[in-house]
Amino acid sequence: MRRRKFIALSVGAAASWSLASCAQQAAGMRRVAFLHPYLENDNEVMTRVIAFREGLEALGWIENRNIRVEHRYSGGDLVRIRAHATELVHSAPDLIVGSGTPITAALKEATSTIPIVFNLVNDPVGQGFVASLSRPGGNITGFTFIDFLMIGKWMEMIKEIAPGVRRVALIFNPDTTPFYPAFLRELEAARTSLALELSATPVHDEAEVEAAITALAHEPDGGLIAAPDAFINNHRRAVITLTERYRLPAIYGFRQFVAEGALISYGPNTADIVRRSAGYVDRVLKGEGPADLPVQAPTKYELVINLKTAKALGIAPAPVLLARADGVIQ
């Protein structure tokens, strides 16, 4: 009888300790929300999710142990972005991470109190997200996507890989790329020394994408620059297919395009940027304010070339260009 009573007391004590431990763990659990510009099954977003988790783990934040990360996927749709932003703010997480300019704009509109760490944003000062790069001054800080001074290199590289190109079009969605005037300024500055014609080609849906690329292809010596915006990224299969159909040289800002069959890309390593953004999440959760954390620029750029696509287009990349490439897909 005494033994049964002891066992019962022990079990009860263990259960009480377990409940207390879980309650203590729950009390110490931090909540972070992450709003993405892609659909959940997109290869690019899956790469970013893994990079973010790795960045957190390196700093001691283990999911479902001391941090819970809630991901939302917008597919680049502006209505869905705003709905997710409102939902996440109402759920009152400790911090929200946002990828890209449209998402950061929606989060800024939704809250001025919850800390926001952005990544892959262009022109955060010009878009009104921060007061300055060195002293953001509000509840928002983070990591930019590309230094505008690097944009001219897209013109240089498309000319280098396809010397016959004489006309280049920048394709973009003005709703998801509000910073496109800055892109055009930098491309305009670069085109004169390369003797290239430049045109701006705004698109809003896949039908306009097809019409724009078809029109460009029907003129001789054309090339395409696909702006790094949420719309183009989410419709990259259509862009890649059309440039392949019309044998049109095109350059992109994301490696994922080339992995899926595009000719060439040059831009920052997106996984590295997202991984680094976990560092600011760590610092904010430990008490630092976004207002005092300077906006940081990319540190790793990569040039990637798809040789199979080059061959299909009748292009033989110069050995010096291949030697500079960070990745060559056979």
PDB file of all heavy atoms in Angstrom, residues 8-40:
ATOM      1  N   ALA A   8       2.278   6.678  -6.804  1.00  0.00           N
ATOM      2  CA  ALA A   8       1.271   7.656  -7.209  1.00  0.00           C
ATOM      3  C   ALA A   8       1.762   9.069  -6.964  1.00  0.00           C
ATOM      4  O   ALA A   8       1.605   9.961  -7.808  1.00  0.00           O
ATOM      5  CB  ALA A   8      -0.030   7.414  -6.435  1.00  0.00           C
ATOM      6  N   LEU A   9       2.391   9.268  -5.794  1.00  0.00           N
ATOM      7  CA  LEU A   9       2.930  10.589  -5.494  1.00  0.00           C
ATOM      8  C   LEU A   9       4.037  10.965  -6.468  1.00  0.00           C
ATOM      9  O   LEU A   9       4.140  12.105  -6.923  1.00  0.00           O
ATOM     10  CB  LEU A   9       3.450  10.633  -4.056  1.00  0.00           C
ATOM     11  CG  LEU A   9       2.374  10.632  -2.964  1.00  0.00           C
ATOM     12  CD1 LEU A   9       3.034  10.442  -1.593  1.00  0.00           C
ATOM     13  CD2 LEU A   9       1.579  11.927  -2.981  1.00  0.00           C
ATOM     14  N   SER A  10       4.895   9.972  -6.803  1.00  0.00           N
ATOM     15  CA  SER A  10       6.005  10.226  -7.725  1.00  0.00           C
ATOM     16  C   SER A  10       5.492  10.599  -9.106  1.00  0.00           C
ATOM     17  O   SER A  10       5.980  11.527  -9.743  1.00  0.00           O
ATOM     18  CB  SER A  10       6.912   8.986  -7.819  1.00  0.00           C
ATOM     19  OG  SER A  10       7.471   8.715  -6.562  1.00  0.00           O
ATOM     20  N   VAL A  11       4.475   9.830  -9.564  1.00  0.00           N
ATOM     21  CA  VAL A  11       3.903  10.108 -10.879  1.00  0.00           C
ATOM     22  C   VAL A  11       3.270  11.488 -10.891  1.00  0.00           C
ATOM     23  O   VAL A  11       3.423  12.275 -11.818  1.00  0.00           O
ATOM     24  CB  VAL A  11       2.871   9.028 -11.261  1.00  0.00           C
ATOM     25  CG1 VAL A  11       2.107   9.440 -12.520  1.00  0.00           C
ATOM     26  CG2 VAL A  11       3.566   7.692 -11.481  1.00  0.00           C
ATOM     27  N   GLY A  12       2.540  11.791  -9.790  1.00  0.00           N
ATOM     28  CA  GLY A  12       1.910  13.106  -9.703  1.00  0.00           C
ATOM     29  C   GLY A  12       2.930  14.215  -9.697  1.00  0.00           C
ATOM     30  O   GLY A  12       2.756  15.245 -10.356  1.00  0.00           O
ATOM     31  N   ALA A  13       4.026  14.009  -8.956  1.00  0.00           N
ATOM     32  CA  ALA A  13       5.074  15.023  -8.905  1.00  0.00           C
ATOM     33  C   ALA A  13       5.725  15.202 -10.262  1.00  0.00           C
ATOM     34  O   ALA A  13       6.004  16.323 -10.694  1.00  0.00           O
ATOM     35  CB  ALA A  13       6.126  14.634  -7.867  1.00  0.00           C
ATOM     36  N   ALA A  14       5.963  14.071 -10.945  1.00  0.00           N
ATOM     37  CA  ALA A  14       6.580  14.142 -12.273  1.00  0.00           C
ATOM     38  C   ALA A  14       5.686  14.888 -13.252  1.00  0.00           C
ATOM     39  O   ALA A  14       6.140  15.701 -14.052  1.00  0.00           O
ATOM     40  CB  ALA A  14       6.867  12.733 -12.797  1.00  0.00           C
ATOM     41  N   ALA A  15       4.354  14.593 -13.167  1.00  0.00           N
ATOM     42  CA  ALA A  15       3.423  15.265 -14.059  1.00  0.00           C
ATOM     43  C   ALA A  15       3.396  16.762 -13.778  1.00  0.00           C
ATOM     44  O   ALA A  15       3.387  17.588 -14.699  1.00  0.00           O
ATOM     45  CB  ALA A  15       2.018  14.672 -13.899  1.00  0.00           C
ATOM     46  N   SER A  16       3.400  17.094 -12.478  1.00  0.00           N
ATOM     47  CA  SER A  16       3.391  18.513 -12.106  1.00  0.00           C
ATOM     48  C   SER A  16       4.656  19.204 -12.596  1.00  0.00           C
ATOM     49  O   SER A  16       4.617  20.312 -13.113  1.00  0.00           O
ATOM     50  CB  SER A  16       3.279  18.663 -10.575  1.00  0.00           C
ATOM     51  OG  SER A  16       2.062  18.112 -10.133  1.00  0.00           O
ATOM     52  N   TRP A  17       5.802  18.517 -12.422  1.00  0.00           N
ATOM     53  CA  TRP A  17       7.069  19.093 -12.891  1.00  0.00           C
ATOM     54  C   TRP A  17       7.052  19.283 -14.392  1.00  0.00           C
ATOM     55  O   TRP A  17       7.497  20.300 -14.926  1.00  0.00           O
ATOM     56  CB  TRP A  17       8.215  18.163 -12.497  1.00  0.00           C
ATOM     57  CG  TRP A  17       9.534  18.668 -13.001  1.00  0.00           C
ATOM     58  CD1 TRP A  17      10.362  19.554 -12.397  1.00  0.00           C
ATOM     59  CD2 TRP A  17      10.164  18.332 -14.247  1.00  0.00           C
ATOM     60  NE1 TRP A  17      11.461  19.795 -13.183  1.00  0.00           N
ATOM     61  CE2 TRP A  17      11.373  19.064 -14.303  1.00  0.00           C
ATOM     62  CE3 TRP A  17       9.818  17.490 -15.310  1.00  0.00           C
ATOM     63  CZ2 TRP A  17      12.228  18.961 -15.396  1.00  0.00           C
ATOM     64  CZ3 TRP A  17      10.672  17.391 -16.389  1.00  0.00           C
ATOM     65  CH2 TRP A  17      11.866  18.125 -16.431  1.00  0.00           C
ATOM     66  N   SER A  18       6.479  18.263 -15.124  1.00  0.00           N
ATOM     67  CA  SER A  18       6.439  18.344 -16.577  1.00  0.00           C
ATOM     68  C   SER A  18       5.573  19.517 -17.031  1.00  0.00           C
ATOM     69  O   SER A  18       5.942  20.264 -17.921  1.00  0.00           O
ATOM     70  CB  SER A  18       5.880  17.033 -17.151  1.00  0.00           C
ATOM     71  OG  SER A  18       5.802  17.106 -18.552  1.00  0.00           O
ATOM     72  N   LEU A  19       4.404  19.693 -16.395  1.00  0.00           N
ATOM     73  CA  LEU A  19       3.528  20.793 -16.743  1.00  0.00           C
ATOM     74  C   LEU A  19       4.181  22.129 -16.443  1.00  0.00           C
ATOM     75  O   LEU A  19       4.107  23.072 -17.229  1.00  0.00           O
ATOM     76  CB  LEU A  19       2.199  20.671 -15.982  1.00  0.00           C
ATOM     77  CG  LEU A  19       1.268  19.540 -16.441  1.00  0.00           C
ATOM     78  CD1 LEU A  19       0.098  19.398 -15.477  1.00  0.00           C
ATOM     79  CD2 LEU A  19       0.750  19.814 -17.849  1.00  0.00           C
ATOM     80  N   ALA A  20       4.854  22.179 -15.293  1.00  0.00           N
ATOM     81  CA  ALA A  20       5.542  23.419 -14.924  1.00  0.00           C
ATOM     82  C   ALA A  20       6.653  23.732 -15.907  1.00  0.00           C
ATOM     83  O   ALA A  20       6.857  24.879 -16.303  1.00  0.00           O
ATOM     84  CB  ALA A  20       6.107  23.304 -13.510  1.00  0.00           C
ATOM     85  N   SER A  21       7.370  22.658 -16.326  1.00  0.00           N
ATOM     86  CA  SER A  21       8.463  22.843 -17.279  1.00  0.00           C
ATOM     87  C   SER A  21       7.938  23.347 -18.607  1.00  0.00           C
ATOM     88  O   SER A  21       8.499  24.256 -19.216  1.00  0.00           O
ATOM     89  CB  SER A  21       9.202  21.516 -17.479  1.00  0.00           C
ATOM     90  OG  SER A  21      10.174  21.644 -18.484  1.00  0.00           O
ATOM     91  N   CYS A  22       6.804  22.750 -19.068  1.00  0.00           N
ATOM     92  CA  CYS A  22       6.224  23.174 -20.346  1.00  0.00           C
ATOM     93  C   CYS A  22       5.745  24.621 -20.269  1.00  0.00           C
ATOM     94  O   CYS A  22       5.923  25.400 -21.204  1.00  0.00           O
ATOM     95  CB  CYS A  22       5.051  22.265 -20.713  1.00  0.00           C
ATOM     96  SG  CYS A  22       5.552  20.603 -21.218  1.00  0.00           S
ATOM     97  N   ALA A  23       5.124  24.964 -19.109  1.00  0.00           N
ATOM     98  CA  ALA A  23       4.644  26.329 -18.935  1.00  0.00           C
ATOM     99  C   ALA A  23       5.806  27.309 -18.943  1.00  0.00           C
ATOM    100  O   ALA A  23       5.741  28.380 -19.554  1.00  0.00           O
ATOM    101  CB  ALA A  23       3.860  26.442 -17.629  1.00  0.00           C
ATOM    102  N   GLN A  24       6.910  26.906 -18.273  1.00  0.00           N
ATOM    103  CA  GLN A  24       8.086  27.768 -18.239  1.00  0.00           C
ATOM    104  C   GLN A  24       8.676  27.928 -19.630  1.00  0.00           C
ATOM    105  O   GLN A  24       9.058  29.022 -20.048  1.00  0.00           O
ATOM    106  CB  GLN A  24       9.120  27.178 -17.281  1.00  0.00           C
ATOM    107  CG  GLN A  24      10.342  28.074 -17.075  1.00  0.00           C
ATOM    108  CD  GLN A  24      11.319  27.461 -16.095  1.00  0.00           C
ATOM    109  OE1 GLN A  24      11.434  26.244 -16.003  1.00  0.00           O
ATOM    110  NE2 GLN A  24      12.006  28.296 -15.347  1.00  0.00           N
ATOM    111  N   GLN A  25       8.704  26.805 -20.364  1.00  0.00           N
ATOM    112  CA  GLN A  25       9.254  26.857 -21.721  1.00  0.00           C
ATOM    113  C   GLN A  25       8.382  27.735 -22.615  1.00  0.00           C
ATOM    114  O   GLN A  25       8.872  28.539 -23.395  1.00  0.00           O
ATOM    115  CB  GLN A  25       9.344  25.444 -22.297  1.00  0.00           C
ATOM    116  CG  GLN A  25      10.039  25.375 -23.645  1.00  0.00           C
ATOM    117  CD  GLN A  25      10.119  23.961 -24.162  1.00  0.00           C
ATOM    118  OE1 GLN A  25       9.163  23.199 -24.071  1.00  0.00           O
ATOM    119  NE2 GLN A  25      11.255  23.594 -24.702  1.00  0.00           N
ATOM    120  N   ALA A  26       7.025  27.582 -22.462  1.00  0.00           N
ATOM    121  CA  ALA A  26       6.111  28.382 -23.266  1.00  0.00           C
ATOM    122  C   ALA A  26       6.272  29.860 -22.936  1.00  0.00           C
ATOM    123  O   ALA A  26       6.218  30.721 -23.807  1.00  0.00           O
ATOM    124  CB  ALA A  26       4.667  27.933 -23.038  1.00  0.00           C
ATOM    125  N   ALA A  27       6.476  30.148 -21.646  1.00  0.00           N
ATOM    126  CA  ALA A  27       6.643  31.532 -21.237  1.00  0.00           C
ATOM    127  C   ALA A  27       7.907  32.138 -21.841  1.00  0.00           C
ATOM    128  O   ALA A  27       7.953  33.328 -22.128  1.00  0.00           O
ATOM    129  CB  ALA A  27       6.698  31.625 -19.719  1.00  0.00           C
ATOM    130  N   GLY A  28       8.927  31.314 -22.065  1.00  0.00           N
ATOM    131  CA  GLY A  28      10.174  31.804 -22.628  1.00  0.00           C
ATOM    132  C   GLY A  28      10.224  31.733 -24.140  1.00  0.00           C
ATOM    133  O   GLY A  28      11.208  32.140 -24.744  1.00  0.00           O
ATOM    134  N   MET A  29       9.172  31.203 -24.772  1.00  0.00           N
ATOM    135  CA  MET A  29       9.122  31.064 -26.223  1.00  0.00           C
ATOM    136  C   MET A  29       8.885  32.422 -26.876  1.00  0.00           C
ATOM    137  O   MET A  29       7.979  33.159 -26.508  1.00  0.00           O
ATOM    138  CB  MET A  29       7.985  30.110 -26.603  1.00  0.00           C
ATOM    139  CG  MET A  29       7.874  29.830 -28.090  1.00  0.00           C
ATOM    140  SD  MET A  29       9.024  28.551 -28.655  1.00  0.00           S
ATOM    141  CE  MET A  29       8.284  27.083 -27.918  1.00  0.00           C
ATOM    142  N   ARG A  30       9.711  32.782 -27.838  1.00  0.00           N
ATOM    143  CA  ARG A  30       9.528  34.030 -28.573  1.00  0.00           C
ATOM    144  C   ARG A  30       8.840  33.725 -29.900  1.00  0.00           C
ATOM    145  O   ARG A  30       9.084  32.677 -30.510  1.00  0.00           O
ATOM    146  CB  ARG A  30      10.874  34.716 -28.822  1.00  0.00           C
ATOM    147  CG  ARG A  30      11.716  34.911 -27.574  1.00  0.00           C
ATOM    148  CD  ARG A  30      10.999  35.704 -26.486  1.00  0.00           C
ATOM    149  NE  ARG A  30      10.694  37.066 -26.906  1.00  0.00           N
ATOM    150  CZ  ARG A  30      11.530  38.098 -26.766  1.00  0.00           C
ATOM    151  NH1 ARG A  30      12.737  37.913 -26.231  1.00  0.00           N
ATOM    152  NH2 ARG A  30      11.169  39.299 -27.155  1.00  0.00           N
ATOM    153  N   ARG A  31       7.990  34.632 -30.327  1.00  0.00           N
ATOM    154  CA  ARG A  31       7.234  34.451 -31.562  1.00  0.00           C
ATOM    155  C   ARG A  31       7.722  35.424 -32.634  1.00  0.00           C
ATOM    156  O   ARG A  31       7.774  36.630 -32.419  1.00  0.00           O
ATOM    157  CB  ARG A  31       5.741  34.675 -31.325  1.00  0.00           C
ATOM    158  CG  ARG A  31       5.026  33.547 -30.613  1.00  0.00           C
ATOM    159  CD  ARG A  31       3.530  33.850 -30.513  1.00  0.00           C
ATOM    160  NE  ARG A  31       2.950  34.076 -31.822  1.00  0.00           N
ATOM    161  CZ  ARG A  31       2.290  35.197 -32.171  1.00  0.00           C
ATOM    162  NH1 ARG A  31       2.180  36.189 -31.328  1.00  0.00           N
ATOM    163  NH2 ARG A  31       1.774  35.310 -33.378  1.00  0.00           N
ATOM    164  N   VAL A  32       8.069  34.856 -33.781  1.00  0.00           N
ATOM    165  CA  VAL A  32       8.511  35.650 -34.927  1.00  0.00           C
ATOM    166  C   VAL A  32       7.655  35.262 -36.119  1.00  0.00           C
ATOM    167  O   VAL A  32       7.407  34.075 -36.363  1.00  0.00           O
ATOM    168  CB  VAL A  32      10.005  35.402 -35.232  1.00  0.00           C
ATOM    169  CG1 VAL A  32      10.394  36.040 -36.559  1.00  0.00           C
ATOM    170  CG2 VAL A  32      10.869  35.951 -34.099  1.00  0.00           C
ATOM    171  N   ALA A  33       7.180  36.251 -36.864  1.00  0.00           N
ATOM    172  CA  ALA A  33       6.430  35.993 -38.089  1.00  0.00           C
ATOM    173  C   ALA A  33       7.306  36.358 -39.281  1.00  0.00           C
ATOM    174  O   ALA A  33       8.117  37.292 -39.214  1.00  0.00           O
ATOM    175  CB  ALA A  33       5.152  36.815 -38.108  1.00  0.00           C
ATOM    176  N   PHE A  34       7.155  35.615 -40.373  1.00  0.00           N
ATOM    177  CA  PHE A  34       7.961  35.847 -41.578  1.00  0.00           C
ATOM    178  C   PHE A  34       7.015  35.849 -42.771  1.00  0.00           C
ATOM    179  O   PHE A  34       6.360  34.856 -43.068  1.00  0.00           O
ATOM    180  CB  PHE A  34       9.003  34.729 -41.710  1.00  0.00           C
ATOM    181  CG  PHE A  34      10.154  35.054 -42.647  1.00  0.00           C
ATOM    182  CD1 PHE A  34      11.433  34.568 -42.374  1.00  0.00           C
ATOM    183  CD2 PHE A  34       9.986  35.814 -43.787  1.00  0.00           C
ATOM    184  CE1 PHE A  34      12.508  34.849 -43.218  1.00  0.00           C
ATOM    185  CE2 PHE A  34      11.037  36.108 -44.636  1.00  0.00           C
ATOM    186  CZ  PHE A  34      12.312  35.617 -44.352  1.00  0.00           C
ATOM    187  N   LEU A  35       6.946  36.993 -43.458  1.00  0.00           N
ATOM    188  CA  LEU A  35       6.075  37.121 -44.623  1.00  0.00           C
ATOM    189  C   LEU A  35       6.916  37.087 -45.895  1.00  0.00           C
ATOM    190  O   LEU A  35       7.821  37.899 -46.077  1.00  0.00           O
ATOM    191  CB  LEU A  35       5.277  38.428 -44.533  1.00  0.00           C
ATOM    192  CG  LEU A  35       4.266  38.734 -45.645  1.00  0.00           C
ATOM    193  CD1 LEU A  35       3.342  37.563 -45.909  1.00  0.00           C
ATOM    194  CD2 LEU A  35       3.464  39.985 -45.288  1.00  0.00           C
ATOM    195  N   HIS A  36       6.579  36.131 -46.783  1.00  0.00           N
ATOM    196  CA  HIS A  36       7.372  35.875 -47.991  1.00  0.00           C
ATOM    197  C   HIS A  36       6.647  36.346 -49.257  1.00  0.00           C
ATOM    198  O   HIS A  36       5.414  36.329 -49.320  1.00  0.00           O
ATOM    199  CB  HIS A  36       7.639  34.376 -48.137  1.00  0.00           C
ATOM    200  CG  HIS A  36       8.419  33.777 -47.022  1.00  0.00           C
ATOM    201  ND1 HIS A  36       9.799  33.770 -46.984  1.00  0.00           N
ATOM    202  CD2 HIS A  36       8.015  33.142 -45.881  1.00  0.00           C
ATOM    203  CE1 HIS A  36      10.210  33.161 -45.891  1.00  0.00           C
ATOM    204  NE2 HIS A  36       9.161  32.776 -45.200  1.00  0.00           N
ATOM    205  N   PRO A  37       7.405  36.673 -50.315  1.00  0.00           N
ATOM    206  CA  PRO A  37       6.793  37.100 -51.576  1.00  0.00           C
ATOM    207  C   PRO A  37       6.537  35.945 -52.553  1.00  0.00           C
ATOM    208  O   PRO A  37       6.239  36.193 -53.726  1.00  0.00           O
ATOM    209  CB  PRO A  37       7.835  38.068 -52.144  1.00  0.00           C
ATOM    210  CG  PRO A  37       9.141  37.508 -51.668  1.00  0.00           C
ATOM    211  CD  PRO A  37       8.864  36.909 -50.311  1.00  0.00           C
ATOM    212  N   TYR A  38       6.672  34.707 -52.097  1.00  0.00           N
ATOM    213  CA  TYR A  38       6.491  33.544 -52.959  1.00  0.00           C
ATOM    214  C   TYR A  38       5.385  32.640 -52.415  1.00  0.00           C
ATOM    215  O   TYR A  38       4.935  32.807 -51.277  1.00  0.00           O
ATOM    216  CB  TYR A  38       7.778  32.714 -53.036  1.00  0.00           C
ATOM    217  CG  TYR A  38       8.932  33.397 -53.716  1.00  0.00           C
ATOM    218  CD1 TYR A  38       9.866  34.134 -52.997  1.00  0.00           C
ATOM    219  CD2 TYR A  38       9.092  33.308 -55.094  1.00  0.00           C
ATOM    220  CE1 TYR A  38      10.936  34.761 -53.621  1.00  0.00           C
ATOM    221  CE2 TYR A  38      10.161  33.927 -55.733  1.00  0.00           C
ATOM    222  CZ  TYR A  38      11.073  34.652 -54.994  1.00  0.00           C
ATOM    223  OH  TYR A  38      12.121  35.266 -55.615  1.00  0.00           O
ATOM    224  N   LEU A  39       5.006  31.663 -53.219  1.00  0.00           N
ATOM    225  CA  LEU A  39       4.119  30.609 -52.742  1.00  0.00           C
ATOM    226  C   LEU A  39       4.938  29.601 -51.934  1.00  0.00           C
ATOM    227  O   LEU A  39       6.161  29.503 -52.083  1.00  0.00           O
ATOM    228  CB  LEU A  39       3.431  29.915 -53.920  1.00  0.00           C
ATOM    229  CG  LEU A  39       2.469  30.807 -54.729  1.00  0.00           C
ATOM    230  CD1 LEU A  39       1.947  30.049 -55.948  1.00  0.00           C
ATOM    231  CD2 LEU A  39       1.310  31.295 -53.862  1.00  0.00           C
ATOM    232  N   GLU A  40       4.250  28.827 -51.119  1.00  0.00           N
ATOM    233  CA  GLU A  40       4.942  27.978 -50.147  1.00  0.00           C
ATOM    234  C   GLU A  40       5.839  26.926 -50.786  1.00  0.00           C
ATOM    235  O   GLU A  40       6.884  26.580 -50.243  1.00  0.00           O
ATOM    236  CB  GLU A  40       3.909  27.293 -49.244  1.00  0.00           C
ATOM    237  CG  GLU A  40       4.510  26.482 -48.123  1.00  0.00           C
ATOM    238  CD  GLU A  40       3.473  25.977 -47.144  1.00  0.00           C
ATOM    239  OE1 GLU A  40       2.264  26.224 -47.363  1.00  0.00           O
ATOM    240  OE2 GLU A  40       3.869  25.315 -46.158  1.00  0.00           O
TER     241      GLU A  40
END
